[in-house]
Amino acid sequence: MFIWWEKFVDYLIYTLFGMDKSSHLTGALHFFIYDTVKIFILLIAIIFLVSYLRTWFNVEKVRAYLQGKSEFTGNILASIFGIITPFCTCSAIPLFLGFLQARIPLGVTFSFLISAPLNNEIAIAMLFGLFGWKITAIYIGFGLVVAIVGGFIIGRLNMEKYILLEVKPMEGCCTNPTIDLNGKQRVKEAWDYTLDIFKKIYIYVILGVGVGAFIHGYIPTDFIARYTGGDAWYTVPLAVVLGIPMYSSAAGVMPLVEVLTSKGMLLGSALSFMMAVTALSLPEAMILKRLLHTKLIAIFFMIVGSGIILIGYIFNAIL
């Protein structure tokens, strides 16, 4: 898809700049320029497309629709809804609270909270650009399974008593919400939203690609392969444990996944690391601590963490 851009970067680095192909700096610079622009193009294109489609939906309408659904159906719908919301774990929490206010079952709200950072359009765009549609489709499928099953289990545990914040029910605010925009307005709103999201995440893309470029150029392949490239049982759990203390969006961590896999890390382990960074994080736990009892947060982390580890093992096995 980006052969034209790769050829241009080759010309820029090797011919115009006259840099040595065997140099560590050359490899790092080539990776940084190529991946940064490629990711920017993918992000703008796919965020705009999803943002345009989102103009036909209304968050309040979705919330009202979920109120009348059975629990398992609600888990499925909330998980799918998470795909079209460009939230990291922390920014998804306000809508999570809104779901609670609308008296949507707790398990359904957790399905959304799990799915939103895992399966948002930014993660999908970058996965598609880096690994192709097959890996992306498998990832989305597994991400939905974790969100649906994780939310359903939490709902079955009857943990409502561990909600610390007094949740006042919303009255009459989302009974018949509508969207009335013409085609030009939808395009403008989608473009404005795309630029707003891009401005918020572009620096993380640059930082993520920068770290990835350093690893790509200077860290020996055999070093990473020796510790994370084998099929030892601990590689996936270790990746998850290493990912939880970090906090980043998919835009920031995805370039690292590309480099780690190119250096020999198994794809399942790398994706488990990414999912732990985006779906489970210490900042998220700190924010949730104001809303939920520590026991419920711990159960949430254990259920989602176990699902991510299982997905990592499956990816390593089938790929």
Side-chain angles (χ1 to χ4, degrees), residues 1 9 15 17 22 34 60-61 73 78 82 85 91 105 109 136 154 237 279:
M1 181 186 299
V9 176
T15 303
F17 292 170
S22 62
Y34 173 75
E60 302 297 338
K61 191 171 184 179
T73 302
T85 53
S91 57
T109 65
T136 304
I154 291 175

Side-chain angles (χ1 to χ4, degrees), residues 32-242:
F32 181 80
I33 296 175
Y34 173 75
D35 266 48
T36 300
V37 174
K38 179 182 71 172
I39 290 172
F40 280 168
I41 293 173
L42 285 169
L43 284 176
I44 291 173
I46 295 184
I47 292 175
F48 175 79
L49 175 61
V50 176
S51 299
Y52 179 78
L53 294 176
R54 193 184 293 118
T55 63
W56 297 89
F57 298 93
N58 188 296
V59 171
E60 302 297 338
K61 191 171 184 179
V62 171
R63 187 159 55 194
Y65 184 74
L66 288 175
Q67 282 181 286
K69 299 302 175 183
S70 62
E71 187 173 1
F72 189 68
T73 302
N75 292 125
I76 297 174
L77 295 175
S79 300
I80 295 174
F81 178 57
I83 296 178
I84 62 173
T85 53
F87 297 133
C88 65
T89 50
C90 294
S91 57
I93 290 176
L95 191 52
F96 170 82
L97 180 58
F99 280 6
L100 292 177
Q101 290 177 315
R103 290 294 188 259
I104 294 173
L106 183 63
V108 176
T109 65
F110 268 103
S111 285
F112 166 77
L113 186 64
I114 297 168
S115 179
L118 281 181
N119 284 323
N120 65 67
E121 68 265 33
I122 297 171
I124 293 172
M126 299 183 74
L127 269 175
F128 176 76
L130 298 177
F131 300 108
W133 69 267
K134 291 183 179 180
I135 298 297
T136 304
I138 296 173
Y139 173 85
I140 294 172
F142 281 136
L144 286 175
V145 169
V146 170
I148 294 168
V149 175
F152 182 77
I153 293 174
I154 291 175
R156 293 289 89 194
L157 293 176
N158 298 319
M159 306 291 287
E160 286 77 9
K161 62 183 178 181
Y162 292 113
I163 300 176
L164 302 180
L165 189 67
E166 181 183 0
V167 179
K168 298 180 180 179
M170 307 174 71
E171 298 178 357
C173 66
C174 52
T175 55
N176 190 30
T178 59
I179 299 178
D180 187 16
L181 299 173
N182 59 39
K184 186 176 181 180
Q185 289 172 324
R186 293 184 192 279
V187 171
K188 183 180 184 305
E189 183 171 309
W191 180 247
D192 290 343
Y193 191 79
T194 300
L195 290 180
D196 181 58
I197 294 295
F198 183 78
K199 289 176 183 177
K200 292 178 180 178
I201 67 174
Y202 80 92
I203 189 65
Y204 297 103
V205 174
I206 293 174
L207 291 173
V209 175
V211 175
F214 175 79
I215 296 174
H216 178 81
Y218 291 93
I219 304 299
T221 299
D222 59 352
F223 178 83
I224 294 178
R226 184 186 310 142
Y227 294 103
T228 62
D231 56 358
W233 67 269
Y234 58 81
T235 56
V236 175
L238 178 62
V240 173
V241 171
L242 292 176

